[in-house]
Amino acid sequence: MAMLGKRRPPRAATNRVRRESGTNAPRGDEAADTLTIERLAHDGRGVARDPQGKTVFVDQALPGERVRIAVHRQRKRFDEAHVVECLEPSPQRVTPPCAYYGRCGGCDLQHLALEDQRTHKQRTFEELFARQGLGLPEVQRLAGEGLGYRRRARLGVKCDAQGSPHLGFRARGSEHLIDIDTCVVLEPMLADLIAPLRECLATLEAPRRVGHIELLATAEGACVVIRQLRDVPGDETRWQRFAAEHDITLVWQVGRESPTLRWLRAPFGETLHVTLALDDTTLQLGCAPGDFLQINAEVNAQLVRTALRWLAPQGHESVLDLFAGVGNFTLALSPHVAAISGIEGSPAMVERLADNARRAGLHHVEAHQADLAARMPDVEAIDWVVLDPPRGGAEALCRGLAEHPVEKVLYVSCDPAALARDTAHLVQGGYCIERAAVVDMFPHTAHLESMLLLTREVSRGRSMSAEREDHGQGP
């Protein structure tokens, strides 16, 4: 305790790297070997074999390239490496548009041409389904702009030993923070706030009390959410002044364990809105800091419009939207079906879903809270199910839908491996994959969204409600 409150002397630098098993070579040219890259792994890294035949995953390397590499992590079955020098570059290689590329961990594929990124993602999607023994129809691609697309981001905040604040994204696989002044994938209204935010952090009484900063582009303009670990009245005033100077909404999320929201500047009220542009209308979805939102507004609109075209509602259908959030699919489908219920785990988002439906005049929408990981909802009177689960997927629900089938299942996924696994249960239960799409929601990253439409073969061309009527079960 003798050092409490005193500045500790700096530690000597070391060459230590994280150790999984075996030994690790230091990052540096002295360990370089020359390899030829054979293909891309699903996560976008180049795959090669060393002279002993051991697999090597190489960051930022492309198929066909000859590269000098240095191994930075050794494992029993494979090594991980980075490029020291690209001796023979691929024609697919491009100059990354971001000055921080290679240091910032936010985007990992900017060295690969955008259309080739999308080809790689589609190939990954098809390979994962082939591993499950599943055939696919022609795969559709949904994509938008490669830059300026992201409407939401979280920036890390860290103070150095001198108390100077740093603001940016983490390095890949590290807690190290990369200072940035702008970001080419953020919507411009958000990117333009990064440098001023750092300047404001430097004026704070207690910058160490800021955990992170979240940026959100809304229908009203930019919103900044400050994760404030402890109340600092003087800094509250500084943030209010910053918000007024930049004409933004600013929210303090105060406290460590159970943070509360404090709206320091809310010129449009204490509800945020995002826009969903459909073919025949534009919806305004109310939301709050922390609610789940697809980060790419343009591609999300394509996703929802495509879902409507695939489902082709006739007006008599009864639908369950599971993991409904604040109503992304629920509200878009509602005018075209007889009844729809959105089910979501978060009570606060359920409340906002119901409020969004009321404001849109959609009176036949129901909103319910349920833990979908623990309980299969009743689908006895349901024609269609829409699924948009978190990364872990919805395996238990798909097993349940295999045993208690509906006419159509629309499954939107942020993990194609989980989607392929879950789809296998549905196909074993008698469903057929009718439509498939890869969705480039996160350009310049290996992250892949996808969507499937599955129909139950025995019910194709007829709704489940019609079958129930034939058996005297009623609607």
Side-chain angles (χ1 to χ4, degrees), residues 272-300:
L272 307 172
H273 296 88
V274 293
T275 300
L276 175 58
L278 303 176
D279 290 333
D280 53 355
T281 188
T282 297
L283 296 173
Q284 296 280 334
L285 303 184
C287 59
D291 287 352
F292 172 76
L293 298 169
Q294 293 285 14
I295 62 99
N296 191 321
E298 177 190 4
V299 175
N300 178 61

Side-chain angles (χ1 to χ4, degrees), residues 10 54 98 100 120 143 299 320 423 457:
K54 189 177 184 181
C98 177
Y100 305 101
H120 166 66
V299 175
L320 273 186
T423 300
E457 289 184 328

Side-chain angles (χ1 to χ4, degrees), residues 17 44 48 78 94 97 130 174 205 219 226 257 267 269 286 291 316 344 349 368 384 394 405-407 432 434 439 451:
V17 294
F78 61 88
V94 296
S174 169
E205 176 185 330
I226 309 295
E257 300 302 325
D291 287 352
H316 60 264
E344 166 60 43
M349 280 199 281
H368 301 284
W384 302 346
V406 297
E407 184 191 31
C432 176
E434 292 284 350
V439 184
M451 181 167 67

Side-chain angles (χ1 to χ4, degrees), residues 89-313:
S90 164
Q92 297 177 323
R93 180 173 287 277
V94 296
T95 301
C98 177
Y100 305 101
Y101 183 71
R103 295 180 291 141
C104 172
C107 299
D108 49 7
L109 288 181
Q110 285 189 5
H111 61 289
L112 178 60
L114 187 58
E115 193 57 31
D116 293 316
Q117 293 178 30
R118 291 165 177 166
T119 298
H120 166 66
K121 292 178 183 183
Q122 180 172 336
R123 187 178 298 121
T124 296
F125 179 73
E126 293 168 344
E127 287 176 359
L128 289 168
F129 273 75
R131 289 181 184 179
Q132 295 285 350
L134 300 173
L136 288 169
E138 182 179 355
V139 177
Q140 185 175 344
R141 290 189 193 179
L142 305 181
E145 297 294 328
L147 301 177
Y149 68 83
R150 187 167 184 134
R151 64 177 172 183
R152 187 174 195 168
R154 177 177 291 183
L155 300 171
V157 177
K158 190 173 184 179
C159 291
D160 59 25
Q162 288 71 42
S164 299
H166 299 271
L167 178 68
F169 296 116
R170 308 287 176 186
R172 186 177 181 184
S174 169
E175 289 299 309
H176 179 64
L177 198 66
I178 305 298
D179 262 316
I180 63 172
D181 291 316
T182 188
C183 176
V184 296
V185 299
L186 279 183
E187 288 200 16
M189 74 166 75
L190 302 182
D192 290 345
L193 286 171
I194 296 175
L197 280 167
R198 180 184 291 104
E199 293 174 5
C200 185
L201 284 168
T203 70
L204 296 182
E205 176 185 330
R208 295 183 189 278
R209 302 303 179 191
V210 178
H212 60 253
I213 296 178
E214 187 166 350
L215 307 177
L216 178 63
T218 73
E220 295 85 7
C223 175
V224 174
V225 182
I226 309 295
R227 183 69 175 89
Q228 187 72 26
L229 302 178
R230 195 184 72 185
D231 200 348
V232 183
D235 288 346
E236 179 177 354
T237 301
R238 291 179 179 88
W239 282 120
Q240 287 172 327
R241 187 162 53 245
F242 175 87
E245 289 172 357
H246 294 275
D247 193 22
I248 61 172
T249 298
L250 196 140
V251 185
W252 248 17
Q253 200 173 23
V254 188
R256 289 182 179 272
E257 300 302 325
S258 301
T260 58
L261 292 185
R262 189 182 301 171
W263 296 75
L264 302 192
R265 186 174 188 268
F268 303 98
E270 296 184 1
T271 300
L272 307 172
H273 296 88
V274 293
T275 300
L276 175 58
L278 303 176
D279 290 333
D280 53 355
T281 188
T282 297
L283 296 173
Q284 296 280 334
L285 303 184
C287 59
D291 287 352
F292 172 76
L293 298 169
Q294 293 285 14
I295 62 99
N296 191 321
E298 177 190 4
V299 175
N300 178 61
Q302 289 187 44
L303 181 72
V304 177
R305 291 196 296 261
T306 301
L308 287 170
R309 287 193 285 271
W310 284 6
L311 287 166

Side-chain angles (χ1 to χ4, degrees), residues 105 148 164 168 191 208 261 280 308 317 322 330 341 366 415 429 441 455:
S164 299
R208 295 183 189 278
L261 292 185
D280 53 355
L308 287 170
E317 296 87 1
L322 306 183
T330 308
S341 295
E366 295 185 5
D415 186 334
M441 191 73 70
T455 60

